Amino acid sequence: MKVLVTGGLGFIGSHTVVELLNNNYEVVVVDNLYNSSIDVVDKIKIITGRDFKLYQEDVCNKEKIDEIFNMEKPDAVIHFAAYKAVGESVNKPIMYYRNNLVSTLNLCEAMQKYNCKKIVFSSSATVYGNPDVLPITEECRVGGTTNPYGSTKLMNEMILKDFTIANDDFCAVILRYFNPIGAHESGLIGEKPNGIPNNLMPYIVRVASKELKELSVFGNDYPTHDGTGVRDYIHVVDLAKGHLKALEYNNRGIDYFNLGTGIGYSVLDMINTFERVNKVKVPYKIVDRRPGDIAECYADPTKALKVLGWKAELGIEDMMRDSYNFILKQKGN
């Protein structure tokens, strides 16, 4: 099977490409390097011993996407390419709506034109907004998103739902991620955002490695066990394997799956565990809450296990160890 992977050099995309290559899929990557690096190509090849095709293009460029589909004729698409920082989306909403929606519309049109019937979409737990109940199941209410990033994910889900209704032989698998962290055990690929990190884990490792002075903890007055926000963190390798299970799933129409561990950890839990596992200090300060953040969010991943045969295998200590190993390898330590 030939799989077109948009954003395939990014954090989750690169780990998924590794799993695809290791399982003998033919891979075509489209990535504009907005939040990724070209050196990831060679690192993927070192890890897997296999080659893949790369198009350094923007998925929002409709003509280029049409050309790529015409040349490659993929059997399926895994769509990662999107802007993904919650805080940035609050400050730059139009940029997020344009990029994250146009890319999906372009893919749907190309898939329809070139008879590509399956898409695995990179969604997010943010579609649930401020959840009514915990843990979150796929039957929970969606909507009431608290930031433009989450709204773009929900709108993309609506686009794909309507598209599957209009095209009854089209298959869409929506994977609602919780909080991916960690890195490949080789230390060759991991989360390496351009500029100052927007997410917790890459910030923690950069403070630990003394690239940044201290971590800002956004709020300690949430109704949680220690006042800081609680999230369900999942190892990126486990998450990547979920995409292969989604490709193997012979569905018609659209289906939705939570990919998480079912365990919630607070920001202070994360800092304390990181310090214990890696024997390094992470200086931090408490600052005001960040716009768009919620108190708690963690998954009920039962459906993914029952239907896809997928569950997270790696624990929080693995995530901490692999995250720090990656940043140390980048620094040459």
Side-chain angles (χ1 to χ4, degrees):
M1 178 187 285
K2 181 185 285 190
V3 184
L4 179 75
V5 183
T6 72
L9 300 184
F11 176 43
I12 305 169
S14 61
H15 288 82
T16 302
V17 168
V18 165
E19 297 300 322
L20 289 168
L21 292 172
N22 282 340
N23 285 274
N24 298 314
Y25 285 88
E26 186 177 354
V27 177
V28 178
V29 169
V30 181
D31 197 304
N32 68 353
L33 304 182
Y34 172 80
N35 197 27
S36 57
S37 176
I38 193 66
D39 65 354
V40 172
V41 173
D42 289 335
K43 292 175 180 178
I44 291 173
K45 292 176 183 179
I46 290 169
I47 292 169
T48 64
R50 295 194 59 193
D51 202 357
F52 62 95
K53 191 170 288 186
L54 169 66
Y55 290 92
Q56 194 174 321
E57 299 290 352
D58 191 331
V59 188
C60 289
N61 187 326
K62 183 177 180 179
E63 290 73 23
K64 289 296 183 183
I65 291 302
D66 187 272
E67 289 176 14
I68 292 167
F69 268 80
N70 185 39
M71 288 186 287
E72 298 295 341
K73 305 293 195 303
D75 301 298
V77 172
I78 303 179
H79 182 25
F80 294 108
Y83 297 154
K84 64 175 186 175
V86 168
E88 184 181 58
S89 78
V90 174
N91 296 324
K92 300 177 180 179
I94 300 304
M95 182 178 86
Y96 269 66
Y97 285 115
R98 179 179 291 114
N99 183 79
N100 293 4
L101 299 181
V102 170
S103 59
T104 302
L105 293 169
N106 287 348
L107 286 171
C108 286
E109 291 183 345
M111 291 177 72
Q112 188 171 38
K113 181 176 178 180
Y114 293 100
N115 203 36
C116 177
K117 300 295 187 183
K118 183 152 197 171
I119 185 168
V120 178
F121 178 66
S122 170
S123 192
S124 166
T126 55
V127 302
Y128 295 110
N130 203 338
D132 297 325
V133 295
L134 291 169
I136 298 169
T137 70
E138 291 82 358
E139 285 70 43
C140 287
R141 174 188 57 82
V142 296
T145 48
T146 59
N147 54 75
Y149 163 74
S151 297
T152 67
K153 291 298 185 184
L154 182 58
M155 290 177 184
N156 273 319
E157 288 192 11
M158 294 166 66
I159 289 168
L160 292 169
K161 180 181 179 181
D162 290 339
F163 192 60
T164 58
I165 292 170
N167 300 271
D168 58 10
D169 58 346
F170 187 86
C171 308
V173 183
I174 308 298
L175 301 181
R176 292 169 174 163
Y177 310 159
F178 281 67
N179 291 73
I181 61 173
H184 193 267
E185 63 180 359
S186 66
L188 290 175
I189 57 174
E191 189 165 15
K192 191 179 179 182
N194 294 330
I196 299 296
N198 287 292
N199 297 323
L200 177 64
M201 200 64 216
Y203 214 111
I204 286 178
V205 296
R206 279 158 179 76
V207 171
S209 65
K210 297 183 169 54
E211 289 181 47
L212 297 171
K213 179 183 176 183
E214 62 184 356
L215 172 72
S216 293
V217 176
F218 295 103
N220 65 346
D221 57 349
Y222 286 104
T224 62
H225 68 272
D226 62 17
T228 64
V230 169
R231 298 291 183 270
D232 185 339
Y233 294 93
I234 176 173
H235 198 295
V236 66
V237 172
D238 279 331
L239 188 63
K241 291 177 178 177
H243 293 77
L244 274 67
K245 294 292 188 181
L247 282 178
E248 296 165 4
Y249 179 40
N250 293 317
N251 67 310
R252 284 291 183 93
I254 193 166
D255 210 345
Y256 309 86
F257 297 94
N258 290 336
L259 295 189
T261 65
I263 303 169
Y265 292 97
S266 74
V267 177
L268 293 183
D269 290 335
M270 297 291 283
I271 294 169
N272 294 334
T273 305
F274 186 93
E275 290 183 336
R276 175 175 56 81
V277 169
N278 295 305
K279 297 178 173 57
V280 62
K281 293 298 293 181
V282 180
Y284 67 89
K285 63 179 178 180
I286 305 296
V287 298
D288 291 340
R289 291 186 185 189
R290 186 170 53 183
D293 278 348
I294 60 176
E296 290 188 278
C297 185
Y298 55 93
D300 180 345
T302 303
K303 182 181 177 182
L305 176 60
K306 287 183 176 179
V307 178
L308 300 181
W310 174 91
K311 68 175 181 177
E313 302 284 353
L314 298 167
I316 193 69
E317 293 187 351
D318 299 301
M319 302 179 210
M320 297 300 179
R321 189 177 299 110
D322 291 341
S323 294
Y324 196 45
N325 180 48
F326 170 70
I327 201 71
L328 292 179
K329 284 284 182 72
Q330 305 313 297
K331 291 171 67 70
N333 292 348

